[in-house]
Amino acid sequence: QVQLQESGPGLVKPSETLSLTCVVSGTSISGYYWSWIRQSPGKGLEWIGYISYTWGTKYNPSLESRVAISVDTSKNHLSLRLSSVTAADTAVYYCARDFDPFEHWGQGTLVTVSS
Amino acid sequence: QSVLTQPPSVSGAPGQTVTISCTGSSSNIGAGYGVHWYQQLPGTAPKLLIYGNNNRPSGVSDRFSDSKSGTSASLAITGLQAEDEADYFCQSYDSSLSAYVFGGGTKVGVL
């Protein structure tokens, strides 16, 4: 059974970098695509980007200048970094397996951007 | 303002059928990109409900079905049950934005 668990700081200051980790269990991280998606009351669900260990990354153009997604196959986890955050980046962040559709989702982690 | 437009809410009595629309444009649904639907129960993460052309993941009831025509898609829930109370989102790809996009979500209520 595929399980994904997001974790990271719940509070990030404006202009700093948001860093999250998603631990994957029940399947190998190799051979699949892995996505990050966020959900906020103001902007709804927003796709951030995806990564494949074999085929690389693709980011939402609206966030591309600030986003980096990486995978660590030895730890079977993926990471998200979002730089220069503002209050508009406050959201619940989800990791998911695959894209189009997003097949399996983690439970999500709330990140608040505030000083 | 979401790229895919959904009604904010729909409701129905137990046993009835409700339909949720998802209206896009020529750069997403109208361009032939697949439409997928997700169910989000209160306090939980979205869950894939239907993908592609009426395909359901294992364990999803056949009371859920979808259709697509032109620049729109629809999700139908037949035999409405109390457990169907949730938010429902459509999702597709938009070639103008080069991004995967979601509808704003529809809250389904059971009267």
Side-chain angles (χ1 to χ4, degrees), chain B residues 6-7 18 24-25 29 34-35 45 48 54 57 63 69 75 96 108 110-111:
Chain B
Q6 298 180 234
V18 296
S25 66
I29 299 175
V35 179
L48 180 62
N54 232 0
R63 296 186 298 105
S69 179
L75 173 72
S96 294
V108 169
V110 180
L111 301 174

Side-chain angles (χ1 to χ4, degrees), chain A residues 37 39 42-47 50 58-61 94 99-108, chain B residues 1-2 34 36 38 40 44-48 51 89 91-93 97-104:
Chain A
I37 300 149
Q39 184 174 28
K43 298 184 73 175
L45 285 163
E46 182 178 29
W47 170 70
Y50 66 62
K58 177 177 169 67
Y59 300 127
N60 189 327
Y94 297 99
F99 67 97
D100 206 35
F102 304 99
E103 188 175 356
H104 296 283
W105 297 58
Q107 66 182 35
Chain B
Q1 200 81 335
S2 300
H36 319 296
Y38 301 84
Q40 186 173 31
T44 69
K47 181 188 87 168
L48 180 62
Y51 62 98
F89 298 88
Q91 176 255 310
S92 186
Y93 178 77
L97 298 173
S98 296
Y100 300 92
V101 294
F102 292 87

Side-chain angles (χ1 to χ4, degrees), chain A residues 76-90:
Chain A
N76 222 45
H77 76 204
L78 62 153
S79 299
L80 169 71
R81 288 172 59 85
L82 181 65
S83 63
S84 305
V85 298
T86 69
D89 296 310
T90 294

Side-chain angles (χ1 to χ4, degrees), chain B residues 21-74:
Chain B
S21 60
C22 174
T23 303
S25 66
S26 58
S27 60
N28 42 68
I29 299 175
Y33 293 107
V35 179
H36 319 296
W37 293 88
Y38 301 84
Q39 177 193 59
Q40 186 173 31
L41 296 170
T44 69
K47 181 188 87 168
L48 180 62
L49 191 68
I50 289 184
Y51 62 98
N53 186 17
N54 232 0
N55 297 295
R56 286 178 295 274
S58 174
V60 173
S61 170
D62 60 3
R63 296 186 298 105
F64 297 94
S65 62
D66 76 337
S67 62
K68 193 169 76 166
S69 179
T71 58
S72 295
S74 294

Side-chain angles (χ1 to χ4, degrees), chain A residues 8-14 16 18 20 85-93 109-115:
Chain A
L11 182 64
V12 181
K13 289 182 168 55
E16 295 190 342
L18 176 163
L20 298 176
V85 298
T86 69
D89 296 310
T90 294
V92 176
Y93 285 75
T109 187
L110 173 62
V111 178
T112 301
V113 178
S114 175
S115 55

